[in-house]
Amino acid sequence: MDLIKPEFGLIFWSLITFVILLIVLRKFAWKPILGAVEEREEGIKTALASAEGARKEMENLKADNERILQEARNEREAMLKDAREIREQTIAKAETEAQDKANKIIEKAQLAIESEKKAAMAELKSHVAGLSLEIAEKVVRNELSNKDKQLKLVEDMLGEATLN
């Protein structure tokens, strides 16, 4: 096997071309490539910082939401408690007013009953007195119509008067 060996001139010119290529690349391409890499690295760092800031902001918002929700629950409970107290006060007031009205109605009814009772008693007394007079009149008439009975009645009355 025969190995092909390159000549010195070819190696020399290849080496010179490679060095020139490296210088040209360094002068024109290296800075833009490194700038792009650094810019990309800065963009990634900025994005990571933004993501971290957004995460912290989300945690703060979540804590604020929990606090607001708890305040709303507390306020709702306070409103319900106030509503219950107002309802109980209203019911108690209505019961008191109803009881007062009922007592007044009962008192008026009792006064009316008492008045009607007195009127009925007066009418009954008047009627009984009238009936008593009529009965007495009939008895006296009957007694006085009989002469023997009249004499006996006079004697009895005189006997009673003398005994006393």
Side-chain angles (χ1 to χ4, degrees), residues 93-162:
K93 183 179 177 182
E95 286 175 350
T96 303
E97 288 176 0
Q99 187 64 40
D100 289 345
K101 286 182 182 178
N103 288 342
K104 287 179 183 176
I105 290 171
I106 290 171
E107 187 178 318
K108 285 181 183 178
Q110 286 176 340
L111 289 174
I113 290 171
E114 191 65 32
S115 174
E116 289 293 322
K117 183 179 174 183
K118 286 179 182 178
M121 288 298 285
E123 185 180 332
L124 183 62
K125 284 179 183 179
S126 173
H127 190 63
V128 167
L131 286 176
S132 296
L133 282 175
E134 282 182 32
I135 292 172
E137 185 180 317
K138 286 182 182 179
V139 167
V140 169
R141 211 181 280 150
N142 189 18
E143 289 292 322
L144 291 178
S145 66
N146 190 348
K147 204 173 193 186
D148 291 332
K149 284 184 181 177
Q150 284 179 7
L151 287 173
K152 183 166 174 32
L153 181 62
V154 170
E155 286 175 6
D156 288 342
M157 288 180 143
L158 286 175
E160 283 179 20
T162 56

Side-chain angles (χ1 to χ4, degrees), residues 22 31 34 38 51 58 66 101 104 125:
L22 277 177
K31 286 184 182 178
L34 286 178
E38 287 177 5
M58 286 297 288
E66 287 296 323
K101 286 182 182 178
K104 287 179 183 176
K125 284 179 183 179

Side-chain angles (χ1 to χ4, degrees), residues 79-106:
M79 289 173 70
L80 287 173
K81 181 182 176 186
D82 290 344
R84 280 188 216 111
E85 288 175 0
I86 290 171
R87 183 192 71 197
E88 289 172 3
Q89 289 173 353
T90 303
I91 289 172
K93 183 179 177 182
E95 286 175 350
T96 303
E97 288 176 0
Q99 187 64 40
D100 289 345
K101 286 182 182 178
N103 288 342
K104 287 179 183 176
I105 290 171
I106 290 171

